[in-house]
């Protein structure tokens, strides 16, 4: 009987997971349409002139590069260095996988659309599995999973910085944590799952690694304190760390001498109003005060989830009162009953809130505190300068807690009605933002290169590398120049002297450009290089140079 019951629960869990995946796919196609999933359709990526364009072109150059070791390295994007696909945010996990399949793939191949579809499916499936821990009713799990699938941070990040749209990795870690008391047939299963989680995190985007570790700390606390395990949580930590570092090495994270730290620590934090600050995503709530850079810490729960949060607090209050003759006595009784769960959750919440809001902690327009780190500590923390992203962990913990509480709201019909109402309010609140995304991505995109002059074909003859000598003054112009000529370089089998890459050494490249400028002035530059200058920028004059002013750019070649 016991085995039969376990089998029924497992079958129910698998069914809920699969239904959640299907719901995620349906929601994806309703919002974004089908054209972007076509792997041979890259026009929608090239026309974006955004981070997604960078990620796609990074894959294009990685694919055409000969295999290196570490496996994630490529040439063609730097005048003197190999570059890891990790630093073009091309999702190393998929980049390496599809490069292996490259010989049988069509010439034009993009996996961005498929990745975003998978993220929605995994978001639905894993979140439904999480909710199955608290309610065995499939309908409740599916309605609840919708909150995760269309969570504002996920919608906001998807198709803006799609590698960071892999929020299912956070949910995967939460799922392992929540099922900490599960009796696994193989005792090593939790160790394998946490190790896999670390590998996935670093091979998708490095920012997911500290998020996974925050949740892993919560797992370690409860596994030691409540489950009375010592060896298992230690092995989870050790195995996850070892294999995460090995994966980082394989994808080339430790290669090169670029600047691993970056400016902006404290600017890209989360404002403490983030949970109820719609920041132009909400149809109902007006934006609250934040600095521009704090979009990285966008953690709006959604109006429907905020209502559900109020209902969960009411339910919790009633449960406390019913636990004892006095409210304080009831609170003490519940705290004692769930002591280690509370400590575990609060430890993770404090960790992610502290790092997300630091080192300059703000609420609305007010600075609450500022931590003055030493230069060495600040440099290390600046590796994750967009610290506001860590708020996503807190978001999904709150989602889980609130929905778990709603599942205990009186009779089953009551909880379903309450949940459905909250879901409807969530959809209405996000309606305008969803419609905007639908209009942006659901239609068939058109794109033609802005390099229309036929002289570009002549310039590319007997050339080897495009050298960026000067760039426009604005970020949009810089990105456009990089992306336009990356496409041009790929079509003409050329290399680039530089690209829009994370953690590159700007000082080293500035010295290189200065040296190339002198060579051009002296008529001693490389004849196989195409030297590019932004329109209006100074360029050397020499009788040995051919100068082409076309399509808003200045191209210079040695005669």
């Amino acid at each position: 009987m016991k085995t039969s019951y376990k089998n029924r629960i497992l079958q129910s869990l698998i069914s809920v997971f699969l239904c959640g995946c299907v719901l995620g796919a349906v929601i994806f196609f309703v919002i974004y349409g089908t054209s972007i999933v076509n792997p041979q359709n890259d026009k929608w990526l090239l026309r974006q002139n955004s981070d997604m364009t960078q990620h796609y072109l990074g894959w294009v150059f990685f694919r055409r590069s000969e295999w290196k070791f570490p496996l994630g390295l490529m040439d063609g994007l730097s005048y003197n260095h190999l570059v890891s696909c990790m630093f073009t945010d091309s999702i190393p996990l998929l980049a390496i996988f599809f490069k292996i399949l490259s010989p049988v793939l069509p010439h034009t191949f993009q996996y961005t659309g498929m990745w975003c579809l998978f993220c929605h499916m995994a978001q639905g499936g894993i979140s439904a599995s999480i909710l199955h821990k608290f309610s065995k009713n499939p309908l409740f799990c599916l309605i609840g999973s919708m909150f995760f699938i269309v969570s504002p941070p996920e919608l906001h990040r998807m198709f803006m910085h799609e590698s960071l749209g892999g929020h299912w990795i956070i949910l995967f870690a939460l799922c392992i944590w929540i099922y900490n008391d599960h009796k696994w047939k193989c005792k090593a299963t939790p160790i394998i799952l946490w190790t896999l989680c670390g590998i996935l995190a670093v091979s998708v985007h490095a920012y997911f690694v500290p998020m996974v570790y925050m949740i892993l700390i919560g797992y370690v606390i409860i596994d030691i304190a409540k489950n009375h395990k010592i060896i298992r949580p230690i092995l989870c930590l050790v195995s996850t760390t070892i294999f995460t570092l090995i994966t980082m090495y394989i994808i080339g994270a430790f290669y090169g001498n670029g600047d691993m730290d970056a400016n902006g620590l404290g600017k890209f934090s989360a404002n403490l109003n983030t949970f109820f600050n719609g920041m132009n995503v909400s149809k109902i709530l007006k934006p609250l005060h934040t600095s521009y850079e704090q979009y990285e810490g966008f953690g709006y729960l959604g109006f429907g989830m905020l209502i559900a949060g109020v209902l969960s607090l009411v339910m919790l209050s009633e449960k406390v009162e019913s636990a004892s003759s006095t409210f304080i006595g009831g609170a003490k009784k519940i705290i004692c009953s769930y002591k280690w769960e509370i400590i575990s959750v609060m430890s993770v919440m404090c960790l992610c809130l502290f790092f997300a809001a630091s080192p300059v902690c703000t609420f609305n327009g007010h600075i609450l505190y500022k931590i003055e780190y030493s230069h060495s500590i600040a440099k290390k923390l600046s590796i994750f300068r967009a610290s506001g992203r860590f708020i996503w962990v807190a978001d999904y913990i709150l989602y889980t807690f609130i929905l778990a509480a709603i599942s205990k709201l009186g009779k089953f019909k009551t909880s379903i009605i309450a949940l459905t109402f909250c879901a409807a309010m969530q959809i209405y609140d996000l309606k305008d933002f969803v419609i905007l995304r639908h209009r942006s991505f659901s239609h068939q995109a058109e794109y033609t290169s802005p390099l229309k002059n036929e002289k570009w074909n002549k310039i590319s003859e007997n050339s080897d590398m495009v050298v960026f000598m000067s760039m426009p003054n604005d970020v949009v112009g810089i990105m456009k120049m990089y992306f336009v000529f990356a496409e041009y370089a790929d079509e003409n089998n050329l290399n680039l002297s530089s690209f829009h890459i994370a953690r590159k050494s700007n000082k080293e490249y500035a010295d290189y450009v200065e040296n190339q400028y002198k060579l051009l002035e002296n008529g001693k530059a490389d004849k196989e290089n195409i030297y590019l200058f932004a329109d209006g920028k100074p360029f050397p004059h020499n009788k040995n140079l051919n100068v082409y002013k076309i399509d808003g750019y200045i191209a210079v070649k040695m005669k």
Side-chain angles (χ1 to χ4, degrees), residues 279-493:
M279 289 180 69
N280 297 314
V281 170
S282 171
K283 183 180 177 68
I284 298 173
L285 299 181
K286 293 181 179 180
L288 300 177
H289 187 281
T290 59
S291 66
Y292 168 74
E293 294 88 351
Q294 287 184 321
Y295 75 89
E296 288 285 8
F298 179 67
Y300 178 53
L301 295 175
F303 191 73
M305 183 54 70
L306 289 173
I307 295 174
V310 173
L311 291 175
S312 68
L313 289 175
V314 171
M315 189 280 300
L316 182 62
S317 176
E318 291 178 352
K319 186 173 182 179
V320 168
E321 289 178 351
S322 64
S324 180
S325 57
T326 64
F327 185 86
I328 294 176
K332 286 182 178 179
K333 188 175 181 180
I334 289 176
I335 290 172
C336 289
S337 299
Y338 298 97
K339 177 176 65 175
W340 292 114
E341 287 88 346
I342 293 170
I343 291 173
S344 176
V345 171
M346 292 308 298
S347 297
V348 178
M349 287 292 287
C350 289
L351 269 175
C352 62
L353 283 171
F354 174 77
F355 284 107
S358 294
V360 182
C361 182
T362 57
F363 182 77
N364 287 337
H366 307 287
I367 297 177
L368 302 183
Y369 66 82
K370 184 176 181 180
I371 302 174
E372 297 290 348
Y373 291 115
S374 67
H375 176 72
S376 60
I377 294 176
K379 189 172 182 179
K380 290 180 175 64
L381 291 175
S382 291
I383 294 173
F384 299 102
R385 63 168 185 165
S387 58
R389 296 170 182 173
F390 299 143
I391 204 67
W392 301 337
V393 176
D395 270 327
Y396 291 121
I397 290 175
L398 289 173
Y399 272 41
T400 303
F401 171 80
I402 291 169
L403 293 175
I406 294 292
S407 71
K408 311 301 179 186
L409 191 63
K411 296 181 179 179
F412 171 70
K413 287 185 178 179
T414 305
S415 63
I416 287 293
I417 291 170
L419 188 64
T420 303
F421 172 75
C422 292
M425 293 306 300
Q426 187 87 344
I427 293 170
Y428 177 76
D429 185 40
L430 303 174
K431 173 186 170 185
D432 290 350
F433 185 72
V434 168
I435 290 174
L436 183 64
R437 285 301 172 98
H438 178 76
R439 290 173 179 170
S440 299
F441 295 101
S442 61
H443 63 279
Q444 189 68 38
E446 297 296 330
Y447 171 81
T448 54
S449 172
L451 303 182
K452 299 176 180 179
N453 197 302
E454 293 183 359
K455 289 182 180 178
W456 289 113
N457 295 327
K458 179 183 177 182
I459 295 171
S460 66
E461 292 176 0
N462 302 316
S463 297
D464 177 66
M465 184 165 66
V466 175
V467 180
F468 296 100
M469 296 296 291
S470 66
M471 305 295 283
N473 296 323
D474 61 300
V475 174
V476 174
I478 292 171
M479 293 176 72
K480 181 180 178 181
M481 188 170 177
Y482 270 135
F483 301 156
V484 165
F485 284 98
E487 183 192 3
Y488 170 73
D490 176 55
E491 290 176 351
N492 293 280
N493 199 30

Side-chain angles (χ1 to χ4, degrees), residues 55-110:
H55 308 161
Y56 170 62
L57 290 170
W59 147 249
V60 168
F61 275 79
F62 178 67
R63 180 186 180 183
R64 78 174 202 179
S65 176
E66 295 292 330
W67 281 106
K68 317 287 183 187
F69 191 82
L71 298 179
L73 296 180
M74 66 179 122
D75 53 24
L77 290 182
S78 174
Y79 71 98
N80 68 340
H81 294 302
L82 297 177
V83 174
S84 171
C85 60
M86 178 182 186
F87 297 124
T88 58
D89 284 342
S90 301
I91 312 177
L93 176 69
L94 299 184
I96 293 172
F97 174 75
F98 284 114
K99 185 172 180 175
I100 294 171
L101 299 179
S102 185
V104 298
L105 295 177
H107 174 72
T108 298
F109 182 86
Q110 60 87 14

Side-chain angles (χ1 to χ4, degrees), residues 107-131:
H107 174 72
T108 298
F109 182 86
Q110 60 87 14
Y111 49 74
T112 305
M114 291 184 288
W115 163 253
C116 294
L117 170 60
F118 173 80
C119 287
H120 276 70
M121 294 176 69
Q123 193 88 347
I126 298 173
S127 61
S129 302
I130 289 172
L131 296 178

Side-chain angles (χ1 to χ4, degrees), residues 5-25:
Y5 175 74
K6 284 184 177 181
N7 288 337
R8 288 200 303 271
I9 293 296
L10 179 60
Q11 289 171 4
S12 174
L13 178 60
I14 293 172
S15 298
V16 161
F17 172 80
L18 293 175
C19 289
C21 290
V22 171
L23 180 62

Side-chain angles (χ1 to χ4, degrees), residues 20 30 65 138 208 214 223 241-242 254 283 340 386 423 436 462 470:
V30 168
S65 176
F208 287 123
M214 288 175 187
D223 210 29
T241 301
I242 290 173
F254 303 120
K283 183 180 177 68
W340 292 114
L436 183 64
N462 302 316
S470 66

